[in-house]
Amino acid sequence: MLLAGECYCSFVVRTEDDPIRGSNITQISNNLLLLHSYRRKPSGALSSDLSPSFHYQIPGLIKKVKGMELVTKPLMYWVFISIIVFAAQLCNGFYLPGSYMHTYVNGDNIYAKVNSLTSIETELPFSYYSLPYCKPLGGIKKSAENLGELLMGDQIDNSPYRFQMNVNESIYLCTTTPLNEHEVKLLKQRTRDLYQVNMILDNLPVMRFAVQNGVKIQWTGFPVGYTPPGSNDDYIINHLKFTILVHEYEGSNAEIIGTGEEGLGVISESDKSKASGYQIVGFQVSPCSVKYDPEVMTSLHMYDNITSISCPSELDKYQVIKEQERISFTYEVEFVKSDIKWPSRWDAYLKMEGSKVHWFSIMNSLMVIFFLAGIVFVIFLRTVRRDLTRYEELDKEAQAQMNEELSGWKLVVGDVFREPNCSKLLCVMVGDGVQILGMGGVTIVFAALGFMSPASRGMLLTGMILLFLILGIAAGYVSVRLWSTIKGTTEGWRSISWSAACFFPGIAFIILTVLNFILWGSSSTGAIPISLYFELFFLWFCISVPLTMIGGFMGTRAEAIEYPVRTNQIPREIPARKYPSWLLVLGAGTLPFGTLFIELFFILSSIWLGRFYYVFGFLLVVLLLLIIVCAEVSVVLTYMHLCVEDWQWWWKAFFASGSVSLYVFLYSINYLVFDLQSLSGPVSATLYLGYSLLMAVAIMLATGTVGFLTSFYFVHYLFSSVKID
């Protein structure tokens, strides 16, 4: 799968009977599929003879494959290959298929599932069966959902849509009872709010194509209904034409180990009949509205065959939504053979458009980095080094005389490490910033390596939550160690650890609770169930808090960072300035924001416009550039403040880079006004602003932490070179 660049690696596995081609190299990265390029010799030995292929071996994972021995490579060989693969795929987001490969034989029954109804107009998801749709014969059954799916508002249920492999047919589903006033009002509202029906078949979302201004556009899902321009009537989509792309697959005598929604699965020789067959590699739909005669349709039973139907073009042949109307639902399906391989079936959903824009963003960030790096270079090698060299070459008497003539940062040597205001809050925010930064960094790395497949819905959010819980150790350690450095004692470390465990999660809890009450009031599936609230509380207080306390205890055992200079008892007066220093601090956030805003547009579009975001390779590069820019900006701003004898640099170093969050939030408002013009109603706007505020707070803590820690070590290094009598 290719997303960002032209590098693509694959491997080929052959026996003397059957080739298996096109398996993605990412499967090897996940240790889910281990096969070596081989050819069986008459004696039963194996030899590699496929020079274009990569040859991989993970020692100890699989020793034999159906009697065929694999030659074990040294561990360093695998490490070397892993480094090469990572370097080659640095800018290429790629994916692991994420689910167990199903094969079907002719006539096998396949049932589609339905997810929540979604809309870019309201951003409030609702249950599919909140509308008068046909229900399955065996009743509605919910699919197992992970933590991420529940938090995202997904509600996946079974559906009556049944397909038989390679059987093209037209099927009648059901006819509703006469619509009452409430159902008509609900259907009209969902139609005018542009709600989409989201179906899933073999873990693939349904896709439809539309032509706008001569451009072919692909969408996931299909609309609930249709409202003609300038008309007061609404028409329901009640006939679906499905096209299912299938790839013919023939099994081999090799074992394939895979993992997915159904857990661990092995295709062995005994399962060869199941392995051979057809795989679903595409799921498309063409929706339309058709007016049926209810008297004729009610004589049919569910899954009865009907004649094929052509979608009408005249409005009077559409099924109108009004009271006492009985709506009949039908569908037809066509199976089409395709050359698309199963590992590549998600390519159609993850096509990356506008790669030049991503590269432009990276080049723009590099220019900013080189500019700031030049300033830092001048500060270190010219100004600081020159001053220190001159100072150290003088004898004590000359140094004492020179001290009377000193200016700039050398004058604040006795105040530079004075305890800042609200030092406890600073320690807590830095600790939580380390936790958030670690969570984001590790998540993006795993996603860029293909472990966060879009086929595994909710996996990204679930992984982020678990990482955040585990990294509570880092938050407690950094908070307490910084506290012991500032105070010179570990007294009060429990309070610091407890505050670090509750600060950001508490803010998130307050924001999400307010938004959840709004969702509850709207009867949306996006509302967090009360049972999930207790689960989140359990994760918070039974996992995150104890781990943070453990990290805090480890921080008390770590050696405190000693200041290189003594602090005077009486603080030095800070000279008055023409302009407030905070103005410069807030302006500094524009430079980190310049490295982020283009990628931020794609992320917001993914969240609020229902698009897939999977260019995590680019996002990883942008994250690294953002960290570098934040570090450089804070160092430059800290040095500038010290040069004007402003020794209160602690908070300013934090917000010099952390102020990027202000611009992120303002950009989110700009995106709401100019790019989400379809978003309607105060409820939707409140949800958007609430989630944007939570994102901005997280960015502030992460970027502020980078800037503060870099500035702290810069100041420590700077004044450790000064001789004090």
Side-chain angles (χ1 to χ4, degrees), residues 433-448:
V434 170
Q435 187 177 10
I436 294 171
L437 186 64
M439 173 197 70
V442 174
T443 301
I444 293 173
V445 168
F446 272 86

Side-chain angles (χ1 to χ4, degrees), residues 393-405:
E393 288 176 352
L394 300 176
D395 55 26
K396 291 185 178 180
E397 183 177 344
Q399 287 180 11
Q401 181 179 358
M402 185 178 178
N403 286 338
E404 300 177 359
E405 304 174 356

Side-chain angles (χ1 to χ4, degrees), residues 579-619:
Y579 300 102
S581 58
W582 285 104
L583 193 63
L584 185 61
V585 170
L586 292 177
T590 56
L591 292 174
F593 178 72
T595 68
L596 181 65
F597 79 98
I598 292 180
E599 211 62 37
L600 184 63
F601 170 81
F602 289 97
I603 294 174
L604 292 176
S605 298
S606 169
I607 296 174
W608 300 107
L609 296 180
R611 300 174 183 171
F612 285 104
Y613 183 88
Y614 217 70
V615 285
F616 288 103
F618 278 119
L619 186 59

Side-chain angles (χ1 to χ4, degrees), residues 104-115:
Y104 304 92
V105 298
N106 291 330
D108 275 358
N109 287 337
I110 315 164
Y111 286 90
K113 296 181 180 180
V114 287
N115 204 339

Side-chain angles (χ1 to χ4, degrees), residues 17-37:
D17 302 320
D18 178 49
I20 306 176
R21 284 189 170 271
S23 298
N24 210 320
I25 199 172
T26 55
Q27 292 173 288
I28 297 179
S29 304
N30 201 25
N31 292 355
L32 304 181
L33 178 59
L34 175 64
L35 292 171
H36 192 67
S37 301

Side-chain angles (χ1 to χ4, degrees), residues 191-238:
T191 298
R192 301 206 171 197
D193 286 341
L194 304 182
Y195 270 87
Q196 303 284 312
V197 178
N198 300 292
M199 281 192 177
I200 303 167
L201 182 68
D202 195 40
N203 213 34
L204 280 180
V206 69
M207 180 189 298
R208 68 183 174 94
F209 296 93
V211 178
Q212 294 182 359
N213 300 323
V215 179
K216 190 176 183 181
I217 303 175
Q218 68 179 39
W219 303 82
T220 54
F222 58 89
V224 169
Y226 168 68
T227 303
S231 173
N232 292 325
D233 292 328
D234 302 287
Y235 302 91
I236 189 171
I237 299 297
N238 62 336

Side-chain angles (χ1 to χ4, degrees), residues 444-517:
I444 293 173
V445 168
F446 272 86
L449 290 175
F451 290 95
M452 302 290 184
S453 169
S456 301
R457 284 171 298 276
M459 182 62 68
L460 187 67
L461 187 55
T462 303
M464 291 177 65
I465 293 174
L466 294 178
L467 283 171
F468 184 83
L469 296 174
I470 295 172
L471 289 173
I473 293 180
Y477 177 84
V478 172
S479 297
V480 171
R481 191 171 186 201
L482 181 59
W483 171 258
S484 62
T485 298
I486 294 176
K487 290 290 187 179
T489 177
T490 59
E491 185 178 353
W493 70 269
R494 292 181 180 85
S495 175
I496 294 294
S497 300
W498 173 258
S499 300
C502 297
F503 181 72
F504 178 73
I507 294 175
F509 173 77
I510 293 173
I511 294 176
L512 293 178
T513 300
V514 173
L515 298 181
N516 208 53
F517 276 115

